[in-house]
Amino acid sequence: MAGEGDQPSATVMGRLLVIQQAIDALPDDARLADFVRRALGGIPGIADAHVHLEGRTTAPTGAIAALLERCGGGAGPVPVPNLQRNIGREGHCFPIRTPDQHFGCLVVQIADEQALRPYRDFLGNISSTISRVLATRVYQARLEQLNEELRQARDQLELRVAERTRQLEYHATHDLLTGLANRPLMIDRLHAAISHARRDARVLVVVYLDLDSFSFMNTGLGIACGDAFLRETAHRLCRVVPDCDAVARIGSDEFVILLSGLESVERSGHWLHEMLAAVREPVRLEGKDVVVTGSIGASVYPFDGEDPELLLRRANSAMHRAKRSGKDSVQFYASTRDAAVAGRMELEAELREAIPGGQLVLHYQPKLDLQTGAWYGAEALVRWQHPKRGLLPPGEFIPLAEESSLIVILGEYVLAQACRQAAHWHRSGLAGKSVAVNVAARQLRDRRIVDVVATVLRDTGLHPGCLELEITESSIMHDLEYASSLIHELKALGIRISIDDFGTGYSSLSALRYFRVDKLKIDRSFVKEIESDQSAAAVALAVISFARTLGMQVNAEGVETPGQANFLQQHGCDEIQGYLLSRPLPAAQLEALYRAGNPPGWHGKAPE
Ligand code: C2E
Ligand code: CA
Ligand code: CA
């Protein structure tokens, strides 16, 4: 081929064209440089080639390194027109650059100048192609970076817009002074509450609460005090009702509260009472205790209407009636409902007073130890000596107390009273008689009960082994982990734990593996049928053998006939209680029973 004049060969030109086109397709600098070096190595007259890209390709060695040295990396002015820099006879240098960017150079080591001559200009094309490709990549990278910056800026803008929209929405739907829902939002929620009440067949009570003589506060103490008072009222209402979203402020001193999911109107009595009480409590403003009362009007879906505006109007008109009838009170739109709710509210208020007023009395029902035939101890059962209504059984007030924290106060009172009584008996010659106290679910909800029991034991001096707490299955089954640790802590005090009404709750025998309780009390309903119904008898027997296996004792309550007692004794029940032996008795009568010595046994004894 050499010496063939200056005519380029079509094959070689074809290859050079392919090389030029391939440069575009190579994804990165290193592979591009490597490809060009190999491909140019096969072109006539070229001994070696090297693509030098500053800071991006590795430095060459040997002859090429020397040529590159002379080429100076391709920097500096370039003679036009062929873009080639003269570096002597051994090589060519083609700068890789654009008018404003410098990348490096293509260095070619010459083997045969003559043979290379027809293609030399094309090498210039290749270096320009590399320049173009690299410049495009730089441009694209910059473009991508800009795009990314743009995207980030847009994201931030969107975030700010969303935040601002949220703020605007909040302002449009909330009362800025108290943070409560405002009237439009409350109407929305009322719509939703109505459709839920319709679906669940529940009643919905719309409560309109207006502060009595609030304007005096603004004029007397100033706007700032008025605002502070409203904020405090909002805070208290939120604390009292189950769901703060149900509370709205719709006028200067007017609040609307939605009580939903109620089974009956009477059920609202407790909440209404709590709201009035919360408002009535003194608020400390500028060193003074300020007392303001509220008047409540209430309307009820579905009885008083099915439309939000109508229900609100009716609640409002009931509120005005409450104001006229002396304030600090509740009126329903349909006044027939006032009596039922008021009755319940009154009972609750009375019960609250009854505890400190000493109206609660304990009766004790003795339990017989079937092994020894002696009285084992007694269960304390509370009664309410009501000043007007006489002695009320627990069924008439315990459920009411359980709806509020009253049950906690009541429970603590009963516990202290029962322990004091038992300790007194121990000191007066009736040693070792155990006392059992019923504990409500709400009392077990927090660990404070552990401290309460410990304090009572310390204060009364009762031996812990003589105190038994009766808890129901349903009050502990929903959170086994918590229940087992709570029971563990209680038992660490040395007291005994029994499961009351066993068999009526979720009755999962397997769950009992988790708690180390001392005793199971077979529920009255099984004992009642023990002689007549095989399945009741089977349950009783299963419970007895199950308890045996786990080292627990078994009590049967509600034993009324000798037949039931015989059956239970034959099958290894540890302890019985019921009308057959004795009804629950006032302390003095139980004491007399204890002192009468061992019980005569039930054989031949008819229930009282
Ligand atoms: P309980 O714990 O299952 O109490 C046993 C109930 O059965 C008592 O009713 C008792 O008088 C009654 N009873 C006892 N023997 C017989 C019998 O042979 N036949 C029949 N038919 N009934 C019998 P009481 O005293 O009316 O108590 C009812 C419920 O009130 C108790 O059921 C208990 O759940 C609750 N309670 C009573 N006192 C307290 C208390 O101080 N705190 C709590 N949280 N609940 C209490
Ligand atoms: Ca009980
Ligand atoms: Ca029971």
Side-chain angles (χ1 to χ4, degrees):
M1 261 197 302
E4 288 290 294
D6 279 354
Q7 287 309 307
S9 119
T11 331
V12 176
M13 281 312 290
R15 268 181 74 179
L16 284 167
L17 274 168
V18 171
I19 294 171
Q20 192 186 12
Q21 280 160 17
I23 289 170
D24 261 325
L26 289 158
D28 59 66
D29 300 348
R31 263 179 279 188
L32 185 148
D34 190 50
F35 167 78
V36 173
R37 189 183 71 80
R38 284 168 200 273
L40 290 185
I43 300 300
I46 292 180
D48 197 359
H50 174 75
V51 174
H52 168 74
L53 298 176
E54 264 159 31
R56 300 196 254 191
T57 48
T58 46
T61 50
I64 286 280
L67 288 172
L68 183 62
E69 188 97 330
R70 265 189 264 162
C71 181
V78 181
V80 196
N82 66 359
L83 301 174
Q84 182 188 348
R85 184 190 303 278
N86 189 358
I87 53 169
R89 295 169 54 83
E90 300 85 36
H92 293 305
C93 172
F94 302 90
I96 299 175
R97 58 186 302 169
T98 62
D100 51 358
Q101 283 179 93
H102 169 74
F103 299 107
C105 59
L106 167 66
V107 182
V108 174
Q109 184 192 0
I110 300 167
D112 180 346
E113 176 62 34
Q114 190 71 17
L116 178 59
R117 187 168 301 139
Y119 312 110
R120 202 177 51 203
D121 286 350
F122 207 91
L123 293 180
N125 291 351
I126 287 184
S127 78
S128 338
T129 302
I130 297 175
S131 310
R132 180 180 53 74
V133 167
L134 292 183
T136 310
R137 282 188 194 163
V138 168
Y139 173 73
Q140 266 169 356
R142 178 80 192 111
L143 207 65
E144 264 163 39
Q145 192 192 342
L146 280 174
N147 262 333
E148 175 59 27
E149 281 167 14
L150 204 67
R151 202 168 47 236
Q152 281 179 5
R154 203 184 46 219
D155 285 355
Q156 263 175 15
L157 195 69
E158 270 173 17
L159 230 67
R160 278 220 293 277
V161 169
E163 168 67 8
R164 187 81 192 109
T165 313
R166 210 184 52 72
Q167 271 176 9
L168 287 174
E169 257 170 32
Y170 184 85
H171 286 191
T173 53
H174 286 78
D175 162 38
L176 297 186
L177 178 66
T178 60
L180 295 177
N182 65 8
R183 188 185 170 101
L185 181 57
M186 190 272 304
I187 295 279
D188 271 2
R189 290 187 172 154
L190 185 47
H191 269 291
I194 288 172
S195 63
H196 286 159
R198 184 178 297 128
R199 186 196 61 199
D200 304 338
R202 294 283 158 127
V203 301
L204 168 71
V205 177
V206 179
V207 181
Y208 207 114
L209 186 152
D210 187 288
L211 299 179
D212 299 327
S213 354
F214 178 71
S215 47
F216 290 127
M217 160 123 42
N218 268 343
T219 44
L221 291 173
I223 302 282
C225 276
D227 285 355
F229 187 88
L230 290 171
R231 267 196 297 270
E232 174 62 19
T233 304
H235 179 72
R236 289 181 182 180
L237 290 174
C238 272
R239 202 186 50 207
V240 166
V241 302
D243 174 14
C244 192
D245 278 349
V247 184
R249 176 171 170 245
I250 65 163
S252 67
D253 60 346
E254 295 174 332
F255 298 84
V256 166
I257 301 100
L258 308 180
L259 295 176
S260 46
L262 301 175
E263 284 161 27
S264 67
V265 180
E266 287 84 348
R267 294 266 165 177
S268 66
H270 162 71
W271 306 112
L272 299 173
H273 175 265
E274 296 269 301
M275 285 181 219
L276 286 184
V279 171
R280 196 187 302 124
E281 235 168 72
V283 178
R284 194 139 189 95
L285 288 175
E286 295 193 332
K288 287 196 264 305
D289 279 340
V290 180
V291 178
V292 169
T293 56
S295 293
I296 285 181
S299 62
V300 183
Y301 166 89
F303 312 121
D304 300 333
E306 309 213 337
D307 163 68
E309 295 288 352
L310 181 65
L311 285 167
L312 261 185
R313 258 201 321 280
R314 297 195 154 166
N316 178 276
S317 88
M319 181 274 288
H320 284 294
R321 206 147 43 79
K323 290 243 183 229
R324 286 195 299 275
S325 72
K327 304 178 176 165
D328 194 19
S329 63
V330 176
Q331 294 281 324
F332 276 82
Y333 175 72
S335 40
T336 43
R337 272 188 274 286
D338 293 340
V341 172
R344 209 178 151 93
M345 275 169 66
E346 194 186 7
L347 195 67
E348 188 179 322
E350 284 175 349
L351 182 55
R352 215 172 269 280
E353 297 303 312
I355 303 168
Q359 294 171 16
L360 293 187
V361 288
L362 294 190
H363 283 190
Y364 296 87
Q365 183 174 43
K367 305 174 174 186
L368 183 69
D369 184 333
L370 289 177
Q371 307 262 298
T372 62
W375 294 121
Y376 169 80
E379 175 177 359
L381 293 156
V382 68
R383 275 98 182 87
W384 180 3
Q385 188 64 59
H386 192 280
K388 282 176 269 173
R389 296 168 59 188
L391 193 68
L392 299 180
E396 295 208 14
F397 60 93
I398 291 280
L400 183 71
E402 276 175 338
E403 282 175 20
S404 69
S405 52
L406 252 184
I407 190 68
V408 178
I409 309 166
L410 185 152
E412 288 175 11
Y413 173 82
V414 170
L415 178 73
Q417 187 62 26
C419 289
R420 198 172 305 127
Q421 181 64 68
H424 169 74
W425 280 330
H426 291 182
R427 284 193 297 271
S428 60
L430 291 167
K433 293 281 181 278
S434 152
V435 70
V437 175
N438 292 285
V439 178
R442 203 189 258 256
Q443 290 178 269
L444 298 171
R445 251 193 242 162
D446 63 76
R447 293 185 194 275
R448 215 173 63 88
I449 180 80
V450 180
D451 289 337
V452 169
V453 173
T455 308
V456 166
L457 287 172
R458 202 184 49 230
D459 292 354
T460 59
L462 179 68
H463 184 269
C466 290
L467 175 62
E468 188 172 310
L469 297 186
E470 296 193 1
I471 64 188
T472 59
E473 291 165 88
S474 45
S475 67
I476 51 171
M477 287 303 176
H478 54 271
D479 187 350
L480 294 179
E481 205 175 306
Y482 169 71
S484 89
S485 74
L486 183 66
I487 289 174
H488 186 81
E489 281 179 44
L490 285 169
K491 282 184 57 71
L493 299 175
I495 65 170
R496 300 161 64 79
I497 305 283
S498 59
I499 304 286
D500 206 355
D501 304 345
F502 193 73
T504 59
Y506 301 92
S507 201
S508 88
L509 285 176
S510 59
L512 284 175
R513 279 174 315 185
Y514 297 105
F515 340 114
R516 290 187 14 263
V517 301
D518 301 280
K519 195 182 285 176
L520 301 181
K521 295 189 72 176
I522 303 178
D523 188 64
R524 243 196 340 271
S525 54
F526 296 104
V527 174
K528 197 171 168 208
E529 317 256 80
I530 225 165
E531 290 173 294
S532 55
D533 179 353
Q534 285 197 334
S535 63
V539 170
L541 294 183
V543 172
I544 293 172
S545 72
F546 172 79
R548 274 287 101 73
T549 318
L550 290 184
M552 293 185 278
Q553 291 194 305
V554 181
N555 165 299
E557 58 180 357
V559 177
E560 294 184 352
T561 69
Q564 291 162 353
N566 285 333
F567 179 95
L568 290 159
Q569 186 170 43
Q570 276 160 25
H571 292 98
C573 181
D574 298 285
E575 162 188 309
I576 55 172
Q577 68 184 103
Y579 293 170
L580 173 67
L581 302 166
S582 167
R583 289 184 175 258
L585 302 170
Q589 287 182 36
L590 181 74
E591 185 174 335
L593 194 67
Y594 276 165
R595 293 204 192 279
N598 282 349
W602 61 83
H603 302 285
K605 185 176 178 239
E608 285 174 47

